[in-house]
Amino acid sequence: MRPGDIYEEVKDLEHLRTKVLGRPLLITEDTASTNDDAKLLADENLLGHGAVLLSRTQSRGKGRLGRRWASPRGGVFMSIILQPDLPPAQVPGLSLAVGYSVARALRESFDLDAKIKWPNDVLVSGRKICGVLCEMKAEQDRVHYVVAGIGVNANLRPDDFPPEVKDTATSLAAELGHNVDQDLVVASILNYFEPVYEEYVQRGLTDLAGHITSVAAYLGERVVVHNRTLGPGSQGPEAARLHATGSVSPQIVSTETGQEGVFVGIDESGRLLLDMDGVTKAFDVGDVSLRSV
Ligand code: BT5
């Protein structure tokens, strides 16, 4: 069976007020990964800009760099196909805009104190409630498509999580004490993301960076940045490709580990800014993990 065949179109999702995103919105009960399906369908030009795939469960939900995304029933697993008229190097910042939109949507629709943990997690009560995986297909100077994958732990109980994430994950139901309308989760994310996406395509993070910083986890706190960091010059297509494939180009990588400082913000290039003994240092989006100390 072809991936497109298992999806059915949802015509009138309640609460959805978008013009482009979720038009069409396709849903299935189960698939391996909505991101993989979206890439396949975009590759074959069967779906284009704005289309959204939604699945009730995933058997092989993906995180970054080959990691797994636990996708039991009760969660929201969606992928948005985007075809931005942007140079590939500007695509990595888009995942920050997606995470920011999820955090704002959870704040507005469910009154939760949701924060964005740079670069791609959304936290509530210090635990991960949502992860974002953006994958891109591009040539040197042209983006074919970006698939923005979003996994939200909606109606999951603690026992639904695999043991390895139980202590670090949370869900809307766990935080609120009751189940939520999963359609409202989908609609509010798309409603919020649509204008943010337009803003990103027009002006990048120029204005968004401040808004993103305002809902950033660990702001003003001492944090440690682990693993690979990218040196100067990582704004080019290499940085974009890094994000698309999860691979790292040796020329631009230094493998500094455990750099500690005070998290002072996110800049207009989407970089994490750390104050390290009075000197502000910028960290690019890569496989950097940020932890509170
Ligand atoms: C992410 O990766 O956080 C991106 C997750 C994206 C999932 C969506 S669902 C729809 C679309 N289709 C897909 O196949 N994927 C996307 P990363 O930053 O690498 O985080 C992965 C790590 O988060 C894992 O190694 C676990 O430690 C943890 N984790 C796994 N499942 C989780 C869950 N349901 N809730 C919270 N944490 C989880």
Side-chain angles (χ1 to χ4, degrees), residues 32-36 58 60-65 67-72 76-79 120-121 128-133 149-151 153 156 161 164-165 168-170:
S33 156
T34 55
N35 262 33
D36 287 346
Q58 296 183 122
R60 295 193 63 78
K62 300 189 303 181
R64 293 179 303 156
L65 301 167
R67 291 191 283 254
R68 299 292 297 266
W69 184 253
S71 308
V76 167
F77 313 104
M78 62 198 270
S79 297
N120 75 321
D121 294 344
K128 187 158 168 173
I129 201 163
C130 165
V132 174
L133 172 66
I150 303 169
N153 299 326
L156 301 184
F161 291 109
E164 64 275 15
V165 300
T168 55
T170 190

Side-chain angles (χ1 to χ4, degrees), residues 110-112 171-180:
F110 301 100
D111 204 18
L112 285 170
S171 68
L172 285 160
E175 295 298 323
L176 295 168
H178 58 79
N179 277 355
V180 297

